[in-house]
């Protein structure tokens, strides 16, 4: 119930990876937080109706007794050090798991809390690769509208009032948010690549697609070997020789796990990779030295 598969043809690929016209200038990783809110009646009614339609077992008692953190609250906190003193032309939020606070819009909460954010929208129904899609969309919107400074916020939420019918790698075990700010630059330090239409499930096709995405990123940036951070949907054994070091992201953080590794100064080329076998999708981002890191004071 976390994703809607894109209408792609098996074996087809998106254009080769390329560097962005925007570079990462700030990253803030937020983990945990005090779960102090209960969903309002509208959220409870919406979730009950949605789950009844899909036949997923509903834990009504949890909605009445188990506090949580809304995506809006997590996103507002993650953006705080990045949006406090600077305008943001656009914020795109991305998540895989439906919000526990279903009657709220995280984008509305962001704009209300951060008046220097001019526009915001969300990306969901794309499984654990949603943040990569959000970053691509953010750049497209920024290029079209002449934006100078945009942000993507990846979100995870642990409070679930239903029995999860998903792969273990998709099950969240923490509340988390990673906010990434990008600014227009003449010296691109980041790039994206993706592959869709891969045969679903773990296997040779996924391995080949991961290798292809990694090769595209390295070719676009003109660097190798690189440090590679892989999410739960990628087997570290799939890495080709171009990966000088492989790090596995934290389990239980399906949307934020790999992105959390950008919340430090990038001193060497680093690639973050994630795959969603249920979608048949592999996405990757490369950050070159000088990209990423917590914002300067």
């Amino acid at each position: 119930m976390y994703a809607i598969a894109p209408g792609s043809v098996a074996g087809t690929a998106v254009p080769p990876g390329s560097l962005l016209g925007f570079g990462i200038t700030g990253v803030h990783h937020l983990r945990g937080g005090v779960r102090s809110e209960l969903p309002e009646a509208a959220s409870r009614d919406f979730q009950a109706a949605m789950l009844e339609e899909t036949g997923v077992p509903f834990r009504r008692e949890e909605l009445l007794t188990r506090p949580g953190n809304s995506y809006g609250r997590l996103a507002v906190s993650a953006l705080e050090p990045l949006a406090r003193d600077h305008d943001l032309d656009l914020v795109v939020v991305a998540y895989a798991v439906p919000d526990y606070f279903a009657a709220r819009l995280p984008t509305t909460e962001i704009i209300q809390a951060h008046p220097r954010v001019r526009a915001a929208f969300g990306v969901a129904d794309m499984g654990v690769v949603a943040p990569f899609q959000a970053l691509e969309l953010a750049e497209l919107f920024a290029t079209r509208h002449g934006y100078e400074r945009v942000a993507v916020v990846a979100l995870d939420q642990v409070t679930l009032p239903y029995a999860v019918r998903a792969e273990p790698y998709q099950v969240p075990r923490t509340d988390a948010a990673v906010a990434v700010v990008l600014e227009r630059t003449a010296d691109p330090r980041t790039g994206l690549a993706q592959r869709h239409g891969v045969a679903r499930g773990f296997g040779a096709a996924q391995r080949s697609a991961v290798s292809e995405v990694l090769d595209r990123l390295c070719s676009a940036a003109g660097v190798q070997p690189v440090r590679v951070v892989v999410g739960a949907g990628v087997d570290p054994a799939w890495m080709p020789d171009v990966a000088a070091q492989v790090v596995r992201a934290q389990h239980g953080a399906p949307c934020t796990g790999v992105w959390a590794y950008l919340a430090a100064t990038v001193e060497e080329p680093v690639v973050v990779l994630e795959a969603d076998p249920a979608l048949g999708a592999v996405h990757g981002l490369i950050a070159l030295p000088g990209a990423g890191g917590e914002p300067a004071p």
Side-chain angles (χ1 to χ4, degrees), residues 149-232:
R149 198 166 189 263
V150 301
V152 169
V153 185
L155 297 162
D156 280 315
Q157 191 180 80
V158 71
T159 314
L160 306 176
Y162 45 81
V164 176
R165 198 165 58 193
E167 298 296 330
Y169 67 87
Q170 292 178 307
V171 180
R173 295 187 174 90
T174 184
D175 288 331
V178 179
V180 180
V181 171
L182 299 98
E183 296 186 41
R184 192 182 297 277
T185 176
D187 181 26
R189 313 304 295 161
T190 55
L192 287 174
Q194 59 182 263
R195 173 77 187 271
H196 286 282
V198 185
R200 297 183 188 180
F202 291 92
Q206 285 281 344
R207 178 172 186 158
S208 175
V210 166
S211 180
E212 180 182 339
V213 167
L214 181 57
D215 285 345
R216 289 180 184 176
L217 290 169
C218 292
S219 295
V223 297
Q224 60 177 324
V226 294
R227 182 185 187 207
V228 182
V229 180
V230 299

Side-chain angles (χ1 to χ4, degrees), residues 19-24 185 187-191 221 266 285-292:
L19 295 181
L20 305 179
F22 288 74
I24 297 173
T185 176
D187 181 26
R189 313 304 295 161
T190 55
V266 178
L285 174 143
I286 189 166
L288 302 177

Side-chain angles (χ1 to χ4, degrees), residues 58-81:
F58 180 35
R59 299 168 180 164
R60 179 178 292 276
E61 189 63 24
E62 292 204 16
L63 279 172
L64 298 173
T65 62
R66 189 177 180 189
N69 285 314
S70 70
Y71 280 144
R73 180 177 178 180
L74 291 167
V76 165
S77 297
L79 284 167
E80 173 58 29

Side-chain angles (χ1 to χ4, degrees), residues 20 130-140 152 182 192 259 285:
L20 305 179
F132 294 90
Q133 295 279 45
L135 183 54
E136 182 178 11
L137 288 169
E139 196 209 12
L140 289 171
V152 169
L182 299 98
L192 287 174
W259 296 89
L285 174 143

Side-chain angles (χ1 to χ4, degrees), residues 90-111:
L90 174 68
V91 173
V92 186
V93 298
Y95 50 90
V97 178
D99 199 343
Y100 187 50
F101 297 80
R104 303 185 191 180
L105 290 175
T107 50
T108 300
E109 293 188 54
I110 289 169
I111 291 174

